Amino acid sequence: MKIKKGIPLIDQHDKNGFYGGKFGGNYVAETLKKPIDDLTKLFEKCRKDKNFIKERDNLYENYVGKPTRFIKLQNLTDHLGGAQIYAKMVSDANGGAHKIYNAITHAMLCKKAKKKYMCTDTGAGYNGKMFSMVAKKFGLGCKVFMGTRDIERQKPNCDSIRKNGAEIIPVTSGSKTLVDAVSECIRYWVSNCDKAHMGIGSLVGPNIFVKICGFSTSQISRELKVQLEEEFGEIPRRLKLINCVGGGSSAYGFWSEFFDYDKKHIELIGVEAGGPKNSKLHAAPLSKNSKIAILHGAAAYCVQDSDGQIDETDSCSSGLDYPSTSPIHCYLKDIGRARYSFATDEEAFAAYKLVTELEEISPSLEPSHSFAEAIKIAPRLDDTNIIVVNSCGDSLKDKDIIKKRLGSYSR
Amino acid sequence: MKSQISLAFKKCRKENRPALLTYTVAGDNTKKKSLEILKSISEYADILELGFAHNAPTADGPQIQNSSYRALKNGIKLKDVFQIVKNYKKIKNAKPCILMGYYQMVYKYGEKKFVRKCKQVGVDGLIIVDLPFPENKEFSRLCKKNFITFIQLLSPTTSKERMKKIIQSSHDMIYYISMLSTTGGKLKISPNKILKNYFKIKRLSKTKNAVIGFGITEKTISSFKKADGLVVGSALCKGISDSLKKRQNPVIKLNKMVKKLKSRIT
Ligand SMILES: Cc1ncc(COP(=O)(O)O)c(C=O)c1O
């Protein structure tokens, strides 16, 4: 299996929605077949429609703010004394994270479908926040499903969601985190698919949701390509793109322009949540070699027990705290195009501390996992190597967790 | 050779009433109790559906979720589910048994191994909620080869074109989901409207046994007497929850409930 050149990776699936013949698909209840079919037709029509793209680009430019900054982290580079480290400040985006791109596409599709409201899931609260923002902007209703454990630990984003007039629906089943929020959101859609538009918050779910999400976040990579050429006059010869991976929407968006390149030229490194150092629990199905499971409509590597029940996960970062991952990342792992590792909670906090001490940036705990990997590998590389980290979220949402863990939080 | 499922429908047709299908979750609230429940309600039910629990169900309402979580908390494993069926099937006049659940459990166990195990313990039919047409074609064939009825679902969102294809590829029983809902929702539309849709399906599938499920309770069941069969699930799961809450024996409660349901359609 090889990636085809010139075709977006999201489109490189077979007729049943599988990447590499086995990842993804559409494992859904009969009731959802038609709504998914309708959404697929609508999306395929819209992405070919010049006016739709124009409107979207306009929103990305003037509402999200385009491009998000590409900056050198000189102090961190000097401190580590190896590869040159840069950051793509996706947290500059309106709302503070990459989730805004997907939310915009969904709001536009919701309008086109003539539906009056959207439902979505959220873990870190960013996806919920972005949906609530665009819902308000587009005059749509919005229901956000969120595990009660996440509601407790991501209060700032919950406040934003409510302030924007969206409704948070607390999910109390299972582990009370993202996995249960997604299940509940899908269940809600089963009952209300005639009225509600559903948006899934990452590169997961039945095939069409993977596609809409990847189509949206790839904006990050288009900007990065231009910025790299501006900074270096070419795409650097030894480039490493590091991104945290929960559902994988941020990483896909960061990498999408670069899948065609040889991995010796551009290395793609995904960082999952390794969980607490001394715990068996983690949220790292790719890097810890979990087996394939069918979860939320798709086949993907997933943390599970021997009977097939989905295992509990643990991570300090709500956004990465998900037992499964995107079918696209499973495929990238299988063909060796991307490499996946994990950072523990402790490593993420240490990275957050070091980066915020040395630099004028403040990544949330999700991208702190990516910085942990950069900190690990940079000293071993010389300065002809360029590392770019996607700083895809702002730490403000994690202020309570950081304060508790590190003693203080300042911004 | 006619399947046990077809024979059960035939018998009910002769008695001029719909077949009564019950749904309970294997291991709810314990392995032992759920087997006792099956044995006990078997007196009135015509076909027994038995759920194998999964902890990320995307189409179940709160009642069945409660039952599933209860079963999982008490340690139910797939091997126990098979054991329950096997033990149930030992009783005299055992009714046909349909296992129902999510594809992940089948996938993990291995499709072939799963179907073979079903055959071995006496499972008569399978419903896999999230394995729709056409992705289910191969699995459906595998079931047929092993004399197991693979039961496909139709919903109010299923187009007529699609319906025809599904019916054509279906075995001797099909399942009509009464409304846009997870299991156990309140009836959102009138029984008449549901029956109207149902008879559209019947016209396309004269020879298949078509059942209606989702939202059927003691109160509503008598409105659906014209159907080939009726499934009651969430109401029974709720019955178990209620009796546990009151520290009563769920076996007695369920026996009473199923008896009453039966009386409403005969
Ligand atoms: C800031 C941030 N980064 C990363 C993620 C991980 O998500 P994904 O891998 O889907 O981009 C999230 C998810 O909520 C997030 O909020």
Side-chain angles (χ1 to χ4, degrees), chain B residues 154 163-170 174 201 204-205 208:
Chain B
L154 299 169
M163 231 171 230
K164 279 185 194 159
K165 285 185 199 155
I166 294 177
I167 290 165
Q168 201 177 27
S169 85
S170 68
I174 49 177
I201 298 168
L204 295 172
S205 63
K208 315 268 182 187

Side-chain angles (χ1 to χ4, degrees), chain A residues 30 187 191 294 304 309-310, chain B residues 55 57 78 104 162 188:
Chain A
E30 173 63 22
R187 287 192 287 263
S191 297
I294 316 297
Q304 60 188 309
Q309 304 298 344
I310 308 305
Chain B
N55 67 352
L78 215 37
Q104 157 63 1
R162 184 172 162 78
K188 295 200 272 195

Side-chain angles (χ1 to χ4, degrees), chain A residues 97-99 124 126 202 244-250 319-320 364 366-367 392-393:
Chain A
H98 61 288
K99 302 280 180 195
Y126 267 133
S202 192
C244 59
V245 177
S249 66
S250 170
L320 305 182
S364 69
E366 291 82 8
C392 58

Side-chain angles (χ1 to χ4, degrees), chain A residues 97-170:
Chain A
H98 61 288
K99 302 280 180 195
I100 188 73
Y101 299 108
N102 185 45
I104 287 176
T105 311
H106 275 293
M108 290 175 70
L109 290 170
C110 180
K111 273 275 181 198
K112 292 271 180 213
K114 300 201 164 55
K115 288 185 171 170
K116 297 231 159 47
Y117 72 102
M118 304 189 280
C119 59
T120 194
D121 57 83
T122 201
Y126 267 133
N127 184 60
K129 178 182 171 186
M130 308 308 182
F131 267 77
S132 73
M133 281 165 53
V134 295
K136 191 172 164 191
K137 186 172 175 63
F138 280 75
L140 297 163
C142 183
K143 284 183 197 288
V144 179
F145 292 84
M146 189 169 189
T148 48
R149 178 160 182 235
D150 289 331
I151 293 177
E152 273 163 32
R153 58 180 174 166
Q154 305 279 250
K155 187 166 177 302
N157 279 348
C158 296
D159 293 344
S160 308
I161 295 170
R162 293 197 185 98
K163 216 170 71 199
N164 289 327
E167 183 188 357
I168 295 179
I169 296 156

Side-chain angles (χ1 to χ4, degrees), chain B:
Chain B
M1 193 178 72
K2 276 223 153 144
S3 72
Q4 290 301 311
I5 291 176
S6 278
L7 292 175
F9 281 107
K10 200 173 160 195
K11 176 170 166 280
C12 296
R13 209 166 279 131
K14 237 188 220 155
E15 293 172 16
N16 213 6
R17 63 172 179 91
L20 177 60
L21 292 85
T22 58
Y23 172 93
T24 51
V25 174
D28 183 21
N29 65 325
T30 64
K31 293 164 209 169
K32 196 162 152 258
K33 274 274 184 291
S34 68
L35 174 61
E36 280 177 40
I37 288 173
L38 289 183
K39 286 181 182 171
S40 162
I41 61 181
S42 183
E43 191 183 347
Y44 308 107
D46 300 295
I47 296 172
L48 303 173
E49 285 183 16
L50 189 63
F52 48 101
H54 177 44
N55 67 352
T58 47
D60 285 324
Q63 302 305 344
I64 290 179
Q65 280 184 60
N66 283 343
S67 285
S68 298
Y69 282 120
R70 216 155 37 215
L72 288 169
K73 212 169 147 203
N74 283 325
I76 192 80
K77 295 273 190 298
L78 215 37
K79 68 171 182 356
D80 307 316
V81 178
F82 291 128
Q83 195 61 45
I84 289 170
V85 177
K86 196 172 167 183
N87 288 336
Y88 165 73
K89 283 285 185 163
K90 284 178 190 157
I91 69 168
K92 225 168 69 187
N93 298 325
K95 303 286 167 71
C97 243
I98 294 171
L99 285 189
M100 176 164 176
Y102 290 86
Y103 184 59
Q104 157 63 1
M105 302 301 292
V106 179
Y107 178 84
K108 181 75 184 170
Y109 198 85
E111 283 190 358
K112 281 196 183 127
K113 200 174 139 204
F114 189 94
V115 172
R116 246 183 280 135
K117 187 78 192 173
C118 283
K119 187 179 169 193
Q120 194 193 333
V121 299
V123 170
D124 298 278
L126 275 173
I127 301 176
I128 311 296
V129 181
D130 55 348
L131 191 64
F133 181 85
E135 285 91 342
N136 60 21
K137 275 183 175 169
E138 214 170 294
F139 187 71
S140 168
R141 267 197 294 272
L142 181 65
C143 289
K144 190 150 207 165
K145 253 205 254 164
N146 287 278
F147 306 100
I148 286 172
T149 303
F150 180 71
I151 297 141
Q152 308 217 52
L153 299 134
L154 299 169
S155 107
T157 57
T158 312
S159 69
K160 194 166 173 190
E161 264 331 282
R162 184 172 162 78
M163 231 171 230
K164 279 185 194 159
K165 285 185 199 155
I166 294 177
I167 290 165
Q168 201 177 27
S169 85
S170 68
H171 300 175
D172 49 349
M173 171 178 163
I174 49 177
Y175 190 130
Y176 179 61
I177 299 169
S178 63
M179 57 184 170
L180 296 188
S181 173
T182 49
T183 50
K186 270 217 179 83
L187 272 193
K188 295 200 272 195
I189 50 177
S190 72
N192 272 341
K193 194 143 181 223
I194 293 169
L195 281 172
K196 217 174 119 195
N197 286 335
Y198 172 82
F199 281 110
K200 271 188 211 154
I201 298 168
K202 279 304 284 181
R203 278 195 290 278
L204 295 172
S205 63
K206 299 207 173 57
T207 61
K208 315 268 182 187
N209 302 296
V211 304
I212 304 178
F214 285 38
I216 298 181
T217 60
E218 275 171 21
K219 281 207 184 81
T220 54
I221 194 165
S222 56
S223 321
F224 297 103
K225 270 190 211 164
K226 286 189 199 132
D228 298 340
L230 299 167
V231 189
V232 182
S234 292
L236 299 178
C237 291
K238 183 169 183 297
I240 297 178
S241 297
D242 289 347
S243 66
L244 290 172
K245 232 181 270 163
K246 290 189 213 144
R247 297 177 177 276
Q248 291 166 344
N249 186 351
V251 182
I252 297 168
K253 167 93 175 177
L254 275 261
N255 182 284
K256 273 190 195 149
M257 282 181 82
V258 178
K259 182 179 180 182
K260 200 163 192 183
L261 286 164
K262 176 79 173 281
S263 71
R264 297 264 155 103
I265 52 171
T266 35

